[in-house]
Coordinates of all heavy atoms in Angstrom, one line a residue:
M222 N -44.8 -3.7 73.3 CA -44.9 -4.7 74.4 C -43.9 -4.4 75.5 O -42.7 -4.2 75.2 CB -44.8 -6.1 73.8 CG -44.9 -7.2 74.9 SD -44.9 -8.9 74.2 CE -46.6 -9.1 74.0
R223 N -44.3 -4.5 76.7 CA -43.4 -4.3 77.8 C -43.2 -5.5 78.6 O -44.1 -6.2 79.0 CB -44.0 -3.2 78.7 CG -43.1 -2.7 79.8 CD -43.7 -1.5 80.5 NE -42.8 -1.0 81.5 CZ -43.1 -0.2 82.5 NH1 -44.4 0.2 82.6 NH2 -42.3 0.1 83.4
I224 N -41.9 -5.9 78.9 CA -41.5 -7.1 79.5 C -40.7 -6.8 80.8 O -39.8 -5.9 80.7 CB -40.7 -8.0 78.5 CG1 -41.5 -8.3 77.3 CG2 -40.2 -9.3 79.2 CD1 -40.7 -9.0 76.2
L225 N -41.0 -7.6 81.8 CA -40.1 -7.5 83.0 C -39.3 -8.8 83.1 O -39.9 -9.9 83.1 CB -41.0 -7.4 84.3 CG -40.3 -7.5 85.6 CD1 -39.3 -6.3 85.7 CD2 -41.3 -7.5 86.8
V226 N -38.0 -8.7 83.2 CA -37.1 -9.8 83.4 C -36.6 -9.7 84.8 O -36.0 -8.7 85.3 CB -35.9 -9.8 82.4 CG1 -34.9 -10.9 82.7 CG2 -36.4 -9.8 81.0
V227 N -36.8 -10.8 85.6 CA -36.4 -10.9 87.0 C -35.3 -12.0 87.1 O -35.7 -13.2 87.0 CB -37.5 -11.1 87.9 CG1 -37.1 -11.0 89.4 CG2 -38.7 -10.1 87.7
D228 N -34.1 -11.6 87.3 CA -33.0 -12.6 87.4 C -31.8 -11.9 88.1 O -31.5 -10.8 87.8 CB -32.6 -13.1 86.0 CG -31.8 -14.4 86.0 OD1 -30.8 -14.5 86.9 OD2 -32.0 -15.3 85.2
D229 N -31.1 -12.7 88.9 CA -30.0 -12.1 89.6 C -28.7 -12.2 88.9 O -27.6 -11.7 89.3 CB -29.8 -12.7 91.0 CG -29.6 -14.2 91.0 OD1 -30.2 -14.9 90.1 OD2 -28.9 -14.7 91.9
D230 N -28.6 -12.9 87.8 CA -27.4 -13.1 87.0 C -27.3 -12.0 86.0 O -28.1 -11.9 85.0 CB -27.5 -14.5 86.3 CG -26.2 -14.7 85.4 OD1 -25.1 -14.2 85.8 OD2 -26.3 -15.3 84.3
P231 N -26.3 -11.1 86.1 CA -26.1 -10.0 85.2 C -25.9 -10.4 83.8 O -26.4 -9.7 82.9 CB -24.9 -9.3 85.8 CG -24.6 -9.8 87.1 CD -25.2 -11.2 87.2
L232 N -25.2 -11.4 83.5 CA -25.0 -11.9 82.1 C -26.3 -12.3 81.5 O -26.6 -11.8 80.4 CB -24.0 -13.0 82.1 CG -23.7 -13.6 80.7 CD1 -23.1 -12.5 79.8 CD2 -22.8 -14.8 80.8
T233 N -27.1 -13.0 82.2 CA -28.4 -13.4 81.7 C -29.3 -12.2 81.4 O -29.9 -12.1 80.3 CB -29.1 -14.4 82.6 OG1 -28.3 -15.6 82.8 CG2 -30.5 -14.8 82.1
T234 N -29.4 -11.3 82.4 CA -30.3 -10.2 82.2 C -29.8 -9.3 81.1 O -30.6 -8.8 80.3 CB -30.4 -9.4 83.5 OG1 -29.2 -9.0 84.0 CG2 -31.2 -10.1 84.6
T235 N -28.5 -9.1 80.9 CA -28.0 -8.3 79.9 C -28.3 -8.9 78.5 O -28.7 -8.2 77.6 CB -26.4 -8.1 80.0 OG1 -26.2 -7.4 81.3 CG2 -25.9 -7.3 78.9
L236 N -28.1 -10.2 78.4 CA -28.4 -10.8 77.1 C -29.8 -10.8 76.7 O -30.2 -10.5 75.6 CB -27.8 -12.3 77.1 CG -26.3 -12.4 77.1 CD1 -26.0 -13.9 77.3 CD2 -25.7 -11.9 75.8
L237 N -30.7 -11.2 77.7 CA -32.1 -11.1 77.4 C -32.6 -9.7 77.1 O -33.4 -9.6 76.1 CB -32.9 -11.6 78.7 CG -33.1 -13.1 78.8 CD1 -33.7 -13.4 80.2 CD2 -34.0 -13.7 77.7
K238 N -32.1 -8.8 77.8 CA -32.6 -7.4 77.5 C -32.1 -7.0 76.1 O -33.0 -6.4 75.4 CB -32.0 -6.4 78.6 CG -32.4 -5.0 78.5 CD -31.9 -4.2 79.6 CE -32.1 -2.7 79.5 NZ -33.5 -2.3 79.6
K239 N -30.9 -7.2 75.7 CA -30.4 -6.9 74.4 C -31.2 -7.6 73.3 O -31.6 -6.9 72.3 CB -28.9 -7.2 74.3 CG -28.0 -6.2 74.8 CD -26.6 -6.5 74.5 CE -25.7 -5.4 75.0 NZ -24.3 -5.7 74.7
V240 N -31.4 -8.8 73.4 CA -32.1 -9.6 72.4 C -33.6 -9.1 72.3 O -34.1 -8.9 71.2 CB -32.1 -11.1 72.7 CG1 -33.1 -11.9 71.8 CG2 -30.7 -11.7 72.5
L241 N -34.2 -8.9 73.4 CA -35.6 -8.4 73.4 C -35.7 -7.0 72.8 O -36.6 -6.7 72.1 CB -36.2 -8.6 74.8 CG -36.5 -10.0 75.2 CD1 -36.8 -10.0 76.7 CD2 -37.5 -10.7 74.4
E242 N -34.8 -6.2 73.2 CA -34.8 -4.8 72.7 C -34.6 -4.7 71.2 O -35.1 -3.9 70.5 CB -33.9 -3.9 73.5 CG -34.4 -3.6 74.9 CD -33.4 -2.8 75.7 OE1 -32.2 -2.7 75.4 OE2 -33.9 -2.2 76.7
L243 N -33.8 -5.7 70.7 CA -33.5 -5.7 69.2 C -34.8 -6.1 68.5 O -34.9 -5.8 67.3 CB -32.4 -6.7 68.9 CG -31.0 -6.3 69.2 CD1 -30.0 -7.5 69.1 CD2 -30.6 -5.1 68.3
S244 N -35.7 -6.7 69.2 CA -37.0 -7.0 68.6 C -38.1 -6.0 69.0 O -39.3 -6.2 68.9 CB -37.5 -8.4 69.1 OG -36.6 -9.4 68.6
Y245 N -37.6 -4.8 69.4 CA -38.4 -3.6 69.7 C -39.4 -3.8 70.9 O -40.4 -3.2 71.0 CB -39.2 -3.2 68.5 CG -38.3 -2.9 67.3 CD1 -38.2 -3.9 66.3 CD2 -37.5 -1.8 67.3 CE1 -37.3 -3.6 65.2 CE2 -36.7 -1.5 66.3 CZ -36.5 -2.5 65.2 OH -35.7 -2.2 64.2
Y246 N -39.0 -4.6 71.9 CA -39.7 -4.7 73.2 C -39.1 -3.7 74.1 O -37.9 -3.4 74.1 CB -39.6 -6.1 73.8 CG -40.3 -7.2 72.9 CD1 -39.5 -8.1 72.2 CD2 -41.7 -7.2 72.8 CE1 -40.2 -9.1 71.4 CE2 -42.3 -8.2 72.0 CZ -41.5 -9.1 71.3 OH -42.1 -10.1 70.6
V247 N -39.9 -3.2 75.0 CA -39.5 -2.4 76.1 C -39.2 -3.4 77.3 O -40.1 -4.1 77.7 CB -40.5 -1.3 76.5 CG1 -40.0 -0.6 77.8 CG2 -40.8 -0.4 75.4
V248 N -38.0 -3.3 77.9 CA -37.6 -4.3 78.9 C -37.1 -3.6 80.2 O -36.3 -2.8 80.1 CB -36.5 -5.2 78.3 CG1 -36.1 -6.2 79.4 CG2 -36.9 -5.9 77.0
D249 N -37.7 -4.0 81.3 CA -37.3 -3.6 82.6 C -36.6 -4.8 83.2 O -37.0 -6.0 83.0 CB -38.4 -3.1 83.5 CG -39.0 -1.8 83.0 OD1 -38.4 -1.1 82.3 OD2 -40.2 -1.6 83.3
V250 N -35.6 -4.6 84.1 CA -34.9 -5.7 84.7 C -34.9 -5.5 86.2 O -34.7 -4.3 86.7 CB -33.4 -5.7 84.2 CG1 -32.6 -6.7 85.0 CG2 -33.4 -6.0 82.7
A251 N -35.1 -6.6 87.0 CA -35.0 -6.6 88.4 C -34.0 -7.7 88.8 O -34.0 -8.7 88.1 CB -36.4 -6.9 89.1
H252 N -33.2 -7.4 89.8 CA -32.1 -8.3 90.1 C -32.3 -9.1 91.4 O -31.5 -9.9 91.8 CB -30.8 -7.6 90.2 CG -30.4 -7.0 88.9 ND1 -29.9 -7.7 87.9 CD2 -30.4 -5.7 88.4 CE1 -29.6 -6.9 86.8 NE2 -30.0 -5.7 87.2
D253 N -33.5 -9.0 92.0 CA -33.8 -9.8 93.1 C -35.4 -10.0 93.2 O -36.1 -9.2 92.5 CB -33.2 -9.3 94.4 CG -33.8 -7.9 94.8 OD1 -35.0 -7.8 95.0 OD2 -32.9 -7.0 94.9
G254 N -35.8 -10.9 94.0 CA -37.2 -11.2 94.1 C -38.1 -10.0 94.7 O -39.2 -9.8 94.3
E255 N -37.5 -9.3 95.6 CA -38.2 -8.2 96.3 C -38.5 -7.1 95.2 O -39.6 -6.6 95.1 CB -37.4 -7.6 97.4 CG -38.1 -6.6 98.2 CD -39.1 -7.1 99.2 OE1 -38.9 -8.2 99.7 OE2 -40.1 -6.5 99.4
E256 N -37.5 -6.7 94.5 CA -37.6 -5.7 93.4 C -38.5 -6.2 92.3 O -39.4 -5.4 91.8 CB -36.3 -5.3 92.9 CG -36.3 -4.3 91.8 CD -35.0 -4.0 91.1 OE1 -34.0 -4.8 91.2 OE2 -34.8 -2.9 90.5
G257 N -38.4 -7.4 91.9 CA -39.2 -8.0 90.9 C -40.7 -8.0 91.2 O -41.5 -7.7 90.4
S258 N -41.0 -8.4 92.4 CA -42.4 -8.5 92.9 C -43.0 -7.1 92.9 O -44.1 -6.8 92.4 CB -42.4 -9.1 94.3 OG -43.7 -9.0 94.8
Y259 N -42.2 -6.1 93.4 CA -42.7 -4.7 93.5 C -43.0 -4.2 92.1 O -44.1 -3.6 91.8 CB -41.7 -3.8 94.2 CG -42.1 -2.4 94.2 CD1 -43.0 -1.9 95.0 CD2 -41.5 -1.5 93.3 CE1 -43.4 -0.5 95.0 CE2 -41.8 -0.2 93.2 CZ -42.8 0.3 94.1 OH -43.2 1.6 94.0
L260 N -42.0 -4.3 91.2 CA -42.2 -3.8 89.8 C -43.4 -4.5 89.1 O -44.2 -3.8 88.5 CB -40.9 -4.0 89.0 CG -39.8 -3.1 89.3 CD1 -38.5 -3.6 88.5 CD2 -40.1 -1.7 89.1
A261 N -43.5 -5.8 89.3 CA -44.6 -6.5 88.6 C -46.0 -6.1 89.2 O -47.0 -6.1 88.4 CB -44.4 -8.0 88.7
R262 N -46.0 -5.8 90.5 CA -47.3 -5.5 91.1 C -47.7 -4.0 90.9 O -48.9 -3.7 91.0 CB -47.3 -5.8 92.6 CG -47.3 -7.3 92.9 CD -47.2 -7.6 94.3 NE -45.9 -7.3 94.9 CZ -45.8 -6.3 95.8 NH1 -46.7 -5.6 96.3 NH2 -44.5 -6.1 96.3
T263 N -46.7 -3.1 90.6 CA -47.0 -1.7 90.5 C -47.0 -1.1 89.1 O -47.2 0.0 88.9 CB -46.1 -0.9 91.4 OG1 -44.7 -1.1 91.0 CG2 -46.3 -1.3 92.9
N264 N -46.6 -1.9 88.1 CA -46.5 -1.5 86.7 C -47.3 -2.4 85.9 O -47.7 -3.5 86.3 CB -45.0 -1.5 86.3 CG -44.2 -0.5 87.0 OD1 -44.4 0.7 86.8 ND2 -43.3 -0.9 87.9
E265 N -47.5 -2.0 84.6 CA -48.2 -2.8 83.7 C -47.2 -3.5 82.7 O -46.5 -2.8 82.0 CB -49.2 -2.0 82.9 CG -50.4 -1.4 83.7 CD -51.2 -2.5 84.4 OE1 -51.5 -3.5 83.8 OE2 -51.6 -2.3 85.6
Y266 N -47.2 -4.8 82.8 CA -46.3 -5.5 81.9 C -47.2 -6.5 81.0 O -48.2 -7.0 81.5 CB -45.3 -6.3 82.7 CG -44.3 -5.5 83.3 CD1 -44.3 -5.2 84.7 CD2 -43.2 -4.9 82.6 CE1 -43.4 -4.4 85.3 CE2 -42.3 -4.1 83.2 CZ -42.4 -3.8 84.6 OH -41.5 -3.0 85.2
D267 N -46.7 -6.8 79.9 CA -47.4 -7.8 79.0 C -46.9 -9.2 79.3 O -47.7 -10.1 79.1 CB -47.1 -7.4 77.5 CG -47.7 -6.1 77.2 OD1 -48.9 -6.0 77.1 OD2 -46.9 -5.2 76.9
V268 N -45.7 -9.3 79.9 CA -45.2 -10.6 80.3 C -44.1 -10.4 81.3 O -43.4 -9.4 81.3 CB -44.7 -11.5 79.1 CG1 -43.5 -10.9 78.5 CG2 -44.5 -12.9 79.5
V269 N -44.0 -11.4 82.2 CA -42.9 -11.4 83.2 C -42.1 -12.7 83.0 O -42.7 -13.8 82.9 CB -43.4 -11.4 84.7 CG1 -42.3 -11.6 85.6 CG2 -44.2 -10.2 84.9
I270 N -40.8 -12.5 82.8 CA -39.9 -13.7 82.7 C -39.1 -13.7 84.0 O -38.4 -12.8 84.4 CB -38.9 -13.5 81.5 CG1 -39.7 -13.3 80.2 CG2 -37.9 -14.6 81.5 CD1 -38.8 -13.0 79.0
L271 N -39.3 -14.8 84.8 CA -39.0 -14.9 86.2 C -38.1 -16.1 86.5 O -38.5 -17.2 86.3 CB -40.3 -14.9 87.0 CG -40.2 -15.1 88.5 CD1 -39.6 -13.9 89.2 CD2 -41.6 -15.3 89.1
D272 N -36.9 -15.8 87.0 CA -36.0 -16.9 87.5 C -36.6 -17.4 88.8 O -37.2 -16.7 89.6 CB -34.6 -16.4 87.7 CG -33.6 -17.5 88.1 OD1 -33.9 -18.7 88.0 OD2 -32.5 -17.1 88.4
N273 N -36.5 -18.7 89.0 CA -37.1 -19.3 90.2 C -36.2 -19.1 91.4 O -36.6 -19.1 92.6 CB -37.5 -20.7 90.0 CG -38.4 -21.2 91.1 OD1 -39.2 -20.5 91.6 ND2 -38.3 -22.5 91.5
R274 N -34.9 -19.1 91.2 CA -33.9 -19.0 92.3 C -33.4 -17.5 92.4 O -32.6 -17.2 91.5 CB -32.8 -20.0 92.2 CG -33.3 -21.4 92.3 CD -32.1 -22.3 92.7 NE -32.6 -23.6 93.1 CZ -31.9 -24.6 93.3 NH1 -30.6 -24.5 93.2 NH2 -32.4 -25.7 93.7
L275 N -33.8 -16.8 93.3 CA -33.5 -15.4 93.5 C -33.1 -15.0 94.9 O -33.6 -15.7 95.8 CB -34.7 -14.5 93.1 CG -35.2 -14.6 91.6 CD1 -36.5 -14.0 91.5 CD2 -34.2 -13.9 90.7
P276 N -32.3 -14.0 95.1 CA -32.1 -13.5 96.4 C -33.3 -12.7 96.9 O -34.1 -12.2 96.2 CB -30.9 -12.5 96.3 CG -30.7 -12.3 94.8 CD -31.5 -13.3 94.1
Q277 N -33.4 -12.7 98.2 CA -34.5 -11.9 99.0 C -35.8 -12.6 98.9 O -36.5 -12.8 99.9 CB -34.6 -10.5 98.6 CG -33.3 -9.7 98.9 CD -33.4 -8.2 98.7 OE1 -34.5 -7.7 98.5 NE2 -32.3 -7.6 98.6
K278 N -36.3 -13.0 97.7 CA -37.6 -13.8 97.6 C -37.4 -14.8 96.4 O -36.9 -14.4 95.4 CB -38.7 -12.9 97.3 CG -39.2 -12.1 98.4 CD -40.5 -11.3 98.0 CE -41.0 -10.4 99.1 NZ -42.2 -9.7 98.8
Q279 N -37.8 -16.0 96.7 CA -37.8 -17.0 95.6 C -38.8 -16.6 94.5 O -39.8 -16.0 94.8 CB -38.1 -18.4 96.1 CG -37.0 -18.9 97.0 CD -35.7 -19.1 96.3 OE1 -35.6 -19.7 95.2 NE2 -34.6 -18.6 96.8
G280 N -38.6 -17.1 93.3 CA -39.5 -16.9 92.2 C -40.9 -17.3 92.5 O -41.8 -16.7 92.1
S281 N -41.0 -18.5 93.2 CA -42.3 -19.0 93.5 C -43.1 -18.0 94.3 O -44.3 -17.8 94.1 CB -42.2 -20.4 94.1 OG -41.4 -20.3 95.3
E282 N -42.5 -17.4 95.3 CA -43.1 -16.4 96.2 C -43.5 -15.1 95.4 O -44.6 -14.6 95.5 CB -42.2 -16.0 97.3 CG -42.8 -15.1 98.3 CD -41.9 -14.8 99.5 OE1 -40.8 -15.3 99.6 OE2 -42.3 -14.0 100.3
V283 N -42.6 -14.7 94.5 CA -42.8 -13.5 93.6 C -44.1 -13.8 92.8 O -45.0 -13.0 92.6 CB -41.6 -13.2 92.8 CG1 -41.9 -12.1 91.8 CG2 -40.4 -12.8 93.7
C284 N -44.1 -15.0 92.2 CA -45.2 -15.4 91.3 C -46.5 -15.3 92.0 O -47.5 -14.8 91.5 CB -44.9 -16.8 90.8 SG -45.9 -17.4 89.4
R285 N -46.5 -15.9 93.2 CA -47.8 -15.9 94.0 C -48.2 -14.5 94.4 O -49.4 -14.1 94.4 CB -47.6 -16.8 95.3 CG -47.7 -18.3 94.9 CD -47.8 -19.1 96.2 NE -46.6 -19.0 97.1 CZ -45.5 -19.7 96.9 NH1 -45.4 -20.6 96.0 NH2 -44.5 -19.5 97.8
E286 N -47.2 -13.6 94.7 CA -47.6 -12.2 95.1 C -48.1 -11.5 93.9 O -49.1 -10.7 94.1 CB -46.3 -11.5 95.6 CG -45.9 -12.0 97.0 CD -44.6 -11.3 97.4 OE1 -44.0 -10.5 96.7 OE2 -44.2 -11.5 98.6
I287 N -47.6 -11.7 92.7 CA -48.1 -11.1 91.5 C -49.6 -11.5 91.3 O -50.4 -10.6 91.1 CB -47.3 -11.4 90.3 CG1 -45.9 -10.8 90.4 CG2 -47.9 -10.9 89.0 CD1 -44.9 -11.4 89.4
R288 N -49.9 -12.7 91.4 CA -51.2 -13.2 91.2 C -52.2 -12.7 92.3 O -53.3 -12.3 92.0 CB -51.3 -14.7 91.1 CG -50.6 -15.3 89.9 CD -51.3 -14.9 88.6 NE -50.8 -15.5 87.5 CZ -50.3 -14.9 86.4 NH1 -50.4 -13.6 86.3 NH2 -49.8 -15.6 85.4
A289 N -51.7 -12.7 93.5 CA -52.5 -12.2 94.7 C -52.9 -10.8 94.5 O -53.9 -10.3 95.0 CB -51.8 -12.4 96.0
S290 N -52.0 -10.0 93.8 CA -52.3 -8.6 93.6 C -53.4 -8.4 92.5 O -53.7 -7.2 92.2 CB -51.1 -7.8 93.3 OG -50.6 -8.1 91.9
G291 N -53.8 -9.4 91.8 CA -54.8 -9.3 90.8 C -54.2 -9.2 89.4 O -55.0 -9.1 88.4
K292 N -52.9 -9.3 89.2 CA -52.3 -9.2 87.9 C -52.5 -10.5 87.1 O -52.3 -11.6 87.7 CB -50.8 -8.8 88.0 CG -50.5 -7.5 88.7 CD -50.9 -6.4 87.7 CE -50.5 -5.0 88.4 NZ -50.5 -3.9 87.4
T293 N -52.8 -10.4 85.8 CA -53.1 -11.6 85.1 C -52.1 -11.8 83.9 O -52.3 -12.6 83.1 CB -54.5 -11.5 84.5 OG1 -54.7 -10.4 83.7 CG2 -55.5 -11.5 85.7
M294 N -51.1 -10.9 83.8 CA -50.2 -11.1 82.6 C -49.5 -12.5 82.7 O -49.4 -13.0 83.8 CB -49.1 -10.0 82.7 CG -47.9 -10.2 83.6 SD -48.3 -10.0 85.3 CE -47.9 -8.3 85.6
P295 N -49.1 -13.0 81.6 CA -48.4 -14.3 81.6 C -47.1 -14.2 82.4 O -46.4 -13.2 82.3 CB -48.1 -14.6 80.1 CG -49.0 -13.7 79.3 CD -49.3 -12.5 80.2
I296 N -46.8 -15.2 83.1 CA -45.6 -15.3 83.9 C -44.9 -16.6 83.4 O -45.4 -17.7 83.5 CB -45.8 -15.4 85.4 CG1 -46.5 -14.2 85.9 CG2 -44.5 -15.6 86.1 CD1 -46.9 -14.2 87.3
I297 N -43.6 -16.4 82.9 CA -42.8 -17.5 82.4 C -41.7 -17.7 83.5 O -40.9 -16.8 83.6 CB -42.2 -17.3 81.1 CG1 -43.4 -17.1 80.0 CG2 -41.3 -18.5 80.7 CD1 -42.9 -16.6 78.7
V298 N -41.7 -18.8 84.2 CA -40.7 -19.1 85.2 C -39.6 -20.0 84.5 O -39.9 -20.9 83.7 CB -41.3 -19.9 86.4 CG1 -40.2 -20.2 87.3 CG2 -42.3 -19.0 87.1
Y299 N -38.4 -19.6 84.7 CA -37.3 -20.5 84.2 C -36.2 -20.7 85.3 O -36.1 -19.8 86.2 CB -36.7 -19.9 82.9 CG -35.9 -18.6 83.1 CD1 -34.5 -18.6 82.8 CD2 -36.5 -17.4 83.4 CE1 -33.8 -17.4 82.9 CE2 -35.8 -16.3 83.5 CZ -34.4 -16.3 83.3 OH -33.7 -15.1 83.4
S300 N -35.6 -21.8 85.3 CA -34.7 -22.2 86.3 C -33.8 -23.3 85.9 O -34.1 -24.0 85.0 CB -35.5 -22.6 87.6 OG -34.7 -23.0 88.6
V301 N -32.7 -23.5 86.7 CA -31.8 -24.6 86.4 C -32.4 -25.9 87.1 O -32.0 -27.0 86.7 CB -30.4 -24.4 87.0 CG1 -29.7 -23.3 86.3 CG2 -30.5 -24.1 88.5
V302 N -33.4 -25.7 87.9 CA -34.1 -26.8 88.6 C -35.1 -27.5 87.6 O -35.9 -26.8 87.1 CB -34.8 -26.4 89.9 CG1 -35.5 -27.5 90.5 CG2 -33.8 -25.7 90.8
S303 N -34.9 -28.8 87.4 CA -35.8 -29.5 86.5 C -36.8 -30.4 87.2 O -37.4 -31.3 86.6 CB -35.0 -30.2 85.4 OG -34.2 -31.2 86.0
D304 N -36.9 -30.2 88.5 CA -37.7 -31.1 89.4 C -39.2 -31.0 88.9 O -39.8 -29.9 88.9 CB -37.6 -30.7 90.8 CG -38.4 -31.6 91.8 OD1 -37.8 -32.6 92.2 OD2 -39.5 -31.3 92.0
T305 N -39.8 -32.1 88.6 CA -41.2 -32.2 88.2 C -42.2 -31.6 89.2 O -43.1 -31.0 88.8 CB -41.6 -33.6 87.7 OG1 -40.6 -34.1 86.8 CG2 -42.9 -33.7 87.1
D306 N -41.9 -31.9 90.5 CA -42.9 -31.5 91.5 C -42.9 -29.9 91.6 O -43.9 -29.3 91.8 CB -42.5 -32.1 92.9 CG -42.7 -33.6 92.9 OD1 -43.6 -34.1 92.2 OD2 -42.1 -34.2 93.7
I307 N -41.7 -29.3 91.5 CA -41.6 -27.9 91.5 C -42.3 -27.3 90.3 O -43.1 -26.3 90.4 CB -40.1 -27.4 91.6 CG1 -39.5 -27.8 93.0 CG2 -40.0 -25.9 91.4 CD1 -38.0 -27.6 93.1
K308 N -42.1 -27.8 89.2 CA -42.7 -27.3 87.9 C -44.2 -27.4 88.1 O -44.9 -26.5 87.8 CB -42.3 -28.2 86.7 CG -40.9 -27.9 86.2 CD -40.7 -28.8 85.0 CE -39.2 -28.7 84.5 NZ -39.0 -29.6 83.4
T309 N -44.7 -28.6 88.5 CA -46.1 -28.8 88.6 C -46.8 -27.8 89.6 O -47.8 -27.2 89.4 CB -46.4 -30.2 89.1 OG1 -45.8 -31.1 88.1 CG2 -47.9 -30.5 89.2
A310 N -46.1 -27.6 90.8 CA -46.6 -26.7 91.8 C -46.7 -25.3 91.3 O -47.7 -24.6 91.5 CB -45.7 -26.7 93.0
L311 N -45.7 -24.8 90.6 CA -45.7 -23.5 90.0 C -46.8 -23.3 88.9 O -47.5 -22.3 88.9 CB -44.4 -23.1 89.4 CG -43.4 -22.6 90.5 CD1 -41.9 -22.7 89.9 CD2 -43.7 -21.2 90.9
L312 N -46.9 -24.3 88.1 CA -47.9 -24.3 87.0 C -49.3 -24.3 87.6 O -50.3 -23.7 87.0 CB -47.7 -25.4 86.0 CG -46.4 -25.2 85.1 CD1 -46.1 -26.4 84.3 CD2 -46.5 -24.0 84.2
D313 N -49.5 -25.1 88.6 CA -50.8 -25.2 89.3 C -51.2 -23.9 90.0 O -52.4 -23.6 90.1 CB -50.9 -26.4 90.2 CG -50.9 -27.7 89.5 OD1 -51.2 -27.7 88.3 OD2 -50.7 -28.7 90.2
T314 N -50.3 -23.2 90.5 CA -50.6 -22.0 91.4 C -50.5 -20.7 90.7 O -51.3 -19.8 91.0 CB -49.8 -22.0 92.7 OG1 -48.4 -21.9 92.3 CG2 -50.0 -23.2 93.5
C315 N -49.5 -20.5 89.8 CA -49.4 -19.1 89.4 C -48.7 -18.9 88.0 O -48.9 -17.9 87.3 CB -48.6 -18.2 90.4 SG -47.0 -18.9 90.8
A316 N -47.8 -19.8 87.6 CA -47.0 -19.6 86.4 C -47.8 -20.1 85.2 O -48.6 -21.0 85.3 CB -45.7 -20.4 86.5
D317 N -47.6 -19.5 84.0 CA -48.2 -19.9 82.8 C -47.3 -20.9 82.0 O -47.8 -21.6 81.2 CB -48.5 -18.7 81.9 CG -49.5 -17.8 82.6 OD1 -50.7 -18.2 82.6 OD2 -49.2 -16.7 83.1
D318 N -46.0 -20.8 82.3 CA -45.1 -21.8 81.7 C -43.9 -21.9 82.5 O -43.6 -21.0 83.3 CB -44.7 -21.3 80.2 CG -44.3 -22.5 79.4 OD1 -44.1 -23.6 79.9 OD2 -44.1 -22.3 78.1
Y319 N -43.1 -23.0 82.4 CA -41.9 -23.2 83.1 C -40.9 -23.8 82.2 O -41.1 -24.8 81.5 CB -42.2 -24.2 84.3 CG -41.0 -24.4 85.2 CD1 -41.1 -23.9 86.5 CD2 -39.9 -25.2 84.9 CE1 -40.0 -24.0 87.4 CE2 -38.8 -25.3 85.7 CZ -38.9 -24.8 87.0 OH -37.9 -24.9 87.9
L320 N -39.8 -23.1 82.1 CA -38.7 -23.6 81.2 C -37.5 -23.9 82.0 O -37.1 -23.2 83.0 CB -38.3 -22.5 80.2 CG -39.4 -21.9 79.3 CD1 -39.0 -20.7 78.5 CD2 -39.9 -23.0 78.4
T321 N -36.8 -25.0 81.6 CA -35.5 -25.3 82.3 C -34.4 -24.7 81.6 O -34.2 -24.9 80.4 CB -35.4 -26.9 82.4 OG1 -36.6 -27.4 83.0 CG2 -34.2 -27.3 83.2
K322 N -33.5 -24.1 82.3 CA -32.3 -23.5 81.7 C -31.3 -24.6 81.3 O -31.2 -25.6 82.1 CB -31.5 -22.6 82.7 CG -32.2 -21.3 83.0 CD -31.4 -20.5 84.0 CE -32.0 -19.3 84.5 NZ -31.2 -18.5 85.4
P323 N -30.6 -24.5 80.2 CA -29.7 -25.5 79.8 C -28.5 -25.6 80.8 O -28.2 -24.6 81.4 CB -29.2 -25.1 78.4 CG -29.8 -23.8 78.2 CD -30.7 -23.4 79.2

């Protein structure tokens, strides 16, 4: 299984990558929305784990671009923002799940 993690926090991406690789997943990492959108649209991933607050492009924009390109892999958005309206908008338009960071 191939996973794309899109997050600008080096600690988060390092930890997620290590934990997922220990479970034998292949993990690619992008550190901003522009790179994450490009990788998700031009490669085949089984799932995308996407932070909503990113430099260059917000996660919501990346999510919409991935869907607009015809990709159907699950997208899990996670963020420190727990606003119900933001969660609902993302789930209605492009995300398959939304998790709030502790």
Side-chain angles (χ1 to χ4, degrees):
M222 180 175 267
R223 189 170 180 198
I224 299 172
L225 174 62
V226 175
V227 185
D228 195 318
D229 61 324
D230 179 34
L232 179 60
T233 300
T234 55
T235 299
L236 290 173
L237 274 173
K238 184 173 173 68
K239 278 186 179 184
V240 168
L241 292 168
E242 287 177 340
L243 284 172
S244 297
Y245 303 103
Y246 295 108
V247 175
V248 181
D249 292 336
V250 173
H252 296 285
D253 62 60
E255 188 76 34
E256 179 185 21
S258 177
Y259 174 78
L260 289 174
R262 289 180 291 112
T263 58
N264 294 289
E265 294 301 320
Y266 292 102
D267 296 293
V268 67
V269 174
I270 301 172
L271 176 65
D272 187 8
N273 195 35
R274 291 202 170 172
L275 295 165
Q277 296 188 14
K278 285 187 183 182
Q279 292 294 312
S281 56
E282 185 179 357
V283 172
C284 193
R285 285 190 296 273
E286 288 177 355
I287 293 168
R288 292 297 186 232
S290 74
K292 298 288 185 167
T293 60
M294 80 287 266
I296 300 173
I297 301 169
V298 176
Y299 69 114
S300 181
V301 295
V302 178
S303 61
D304 182 89
T305 305
D306 291 336
I307 292 172
K308 287 181 185 180
T309 303
L311 279 163
L312 291 169
D313 285 347
T314 59
C315 60
D317 294 286
D318 204 351
Y319 188 106
L320 304 171
T321 304
K322 291 180 185 179

